[in-house]
Amino acid sequence: MTGDHRARSTANRTLEVIPPGAGAAAMSSGIVSVALHLVGFEVFSLVWLGIGAAIWLVLAVVFVSRLVDNRARWIDEADTPPALTGVAATTVLGTRVVLLDWDLVGYAALAIALVAWIVLIPAVIRHWTSPTVGVHFLLCVATQGLAVLGATLAATTTAHWIALPSAAAFVLGLGFYVLVLVRFSFNQLRVGAGDHWVFGGALAISTLAAGKLTAAAPVVAWPETLHLSFQRLSIVLIILVLGCYGMLFVCELIWPRLEYDVRRWSTAFPMGMTSAASLTVAATASTPWLKTVGEILVWPAVALCVVLLIASVWRLWTVSSPTPTVGA
């Protein structure tokens, strides 16, 4: 086999073994980039934005290749909650690029995410299973991602018409959270492989959405009562989020799960999202103590992302590398 053929074969095997939930890696990288930007580490933030964008591009290639070459597998994966990681990743990365004043890229990300959301949400709901586990909260996360990106665009551009649909997405996202929560198996806090953290992460992105809507409200000339409602709700939500973070951390100490699992990216995302939500609410609700919390919590998320990035690259390398034949 020639070198070119071997390289193509390795690349094909790599794309083949990437699971649908791998979008959580792009989600985590994106929100860590946002949090690092909010604490003023712009160079590190841009590095993680580049990593998240690279992962997103790889996943886009996987998405298209399976749609074209393996339609049955694409349909099977589209019916499952992990498929929604792609929607969430697109909105989180879109939010970060809007903070760079790349508004057109932000609009494109919102359009892509919205189309994917419209296609995937009905399929996921049709194939719903109970009791629910952590990954089911992606129903909320993907929806709130639209609210976060839409509210960010509304606050930074003249497209104020996006604010109202963003608020509607926020309310719908909270409804999805309750829908999943009432069916959630809390045994996942003991046996979950990493995605159980989305139990808190979904609340964290809801908090970020409330904070973004608080910032957008005066810009789009909403009534002061509505502005105060989002502001107060964001404070209530962040308190719940920090409580969830503490509980999940304690569960990790009691029932440590140190082996590698791709679902651990769904642990890094809530950790980074809790930091970003804390920093945002600190700014929009005049609660300076949350700024300190956010500045502290960003670093465990960064550390976990570094470990997971190294472990994931190693796992893909070992799985996709050809097994040498005897006598070769």
Side-chain angles (χ1 to χ4, degrees):
M1 181 182 294
T2 67
D4 288 344
H5 287 157
R6 267 196 300 269
R8 282 196 294 270
S9 178
T10 299
N12 289 336
R13 279 193 298 269
T14 301
L15 295 178
E16 184 68 21
V17 300
I18 292 176
M27 292 165 54
S28 301
S29 301
I31 198 58
V32 162
S33 177
V34 171
L36 286 169
H37 166 77
L38 293 175
V39 296
F41 286 84
E42 194 65 19
V43 173
F44 288 158
S45 172
L46 293 175
V47 168
W48 279 104
L49 174 60
I51 292 171
I55 295 171
W56 188 92
L57 289 172
V58 170
L59 295 176
V61 172
V62 172
F63 179 90
V64 172
S65 64
R66 289 179 186 171
L67 178 62
V68 173
D69 299 330
N70 194 346
R71 185 68 61 87
R73 179 176 178 178
W74 184 91
I75 292 173
D76 287 341
E77 292 177 347
D79 291 343
T80 63
L84 295 173
T85 58
V87 177
T90 304
T91 60
V92 171
L93 291 168
T95 298
R96 179 62 186 96
V97 299
V98 171
L99 297 177
L100 292 170
D101 294 327
W102 296 355
D103 295 335
L104 289 179
V105 180
Y107 284 122
L110 182 60
I112 292 169
L114 179 60
V115 170
W117 185 90
I118 292 171
V119 171
L120 294 174
I121 286 289
V124 171
I125 292 177
R126 280 198 307 269
H127 295 83
W128 201 251
T129 57
S130 293
T132 56
V133 296
V135 73
H136 287 88
F137 284 105
L138 283 166
L139 196 68
C140 167
V141 171
T143 307
Q144 294 293 16
L146 295 174
V148 168
L149 179 51
T152 302
L153 285 167
T156 58
T157 72
T158 58
H160 296 167
W161 59 270
I162 299 179
L164 189 58
S166 300
F170 169 72
V171 174
L172 180 60
L174 288 180
F176 282 150
Y177 186 85
V178 173
L179 175 69
V180 178
L181 181 64
V182 296
R183 296 167 174 80
F184 182 59
S185 171
F186 282 92
N187 189 46
Q188 287 293 305
L189 302 183
R190 180 177 65 86
V191 302
D195 62 299
H196 58 289
W197 273 75
V198 190
F199 160 70
L203 267 185
I205 194 172
S206 299
T207 306
L208 181 60
K212 292 290 188 180
L213 287 165
T214 300
V219 176
V220 301
W222 279 349
E224 181 65 16
T225 54
L226 194 56
H227 172 260
L228 291 174
S229 296
F230 281 119
Q231 186 181 70
R232 291 164 181 166
L233 182 56
S234 69
I235 295 173
V236 172
L237 287 174
I238 196 61
I239 292 172
L240 293 175
V241 168
L242 293 175
C244 288
Y245 190 107
M247 179 178 64
L248 288 161
F249 180 75
V250 170
C251 289
E252 293 289 341
L253 296 178
I254 298 173
W255 301 294
R257 285 146 278 190
L258 302 179
E259 67 281 358
Y260 172 80
D261 192 298
V262 70
R263 286 170 289 183
R264 268 303 179 192
W265 281 107
S266 294
T267 298
F269 174 74
M271 293 173 71
M273 184 58 74
T274 301
S275 172
S278 298
L279 293 164
T280 299
V281 176
T284 59
S286 300
T287 48
W289 64 273
L290 281 172
K291 185 174 186 290
T292 303
V293 172
E295 290 172 342
I296 293 171
L297 292 183
V298 67
W299 299 113
V302 171
L304 181 57
C305 281
V306 170
V307 171
L308 287 172
L309 185 62
I310 294 170
S312 297
V313 171
W314 176 255
R315 176 59 63 91
L316 282 175
W317 175 262
T318 55
V319 171
S320 60
S321 295
T323 303
T325 57
V326 177

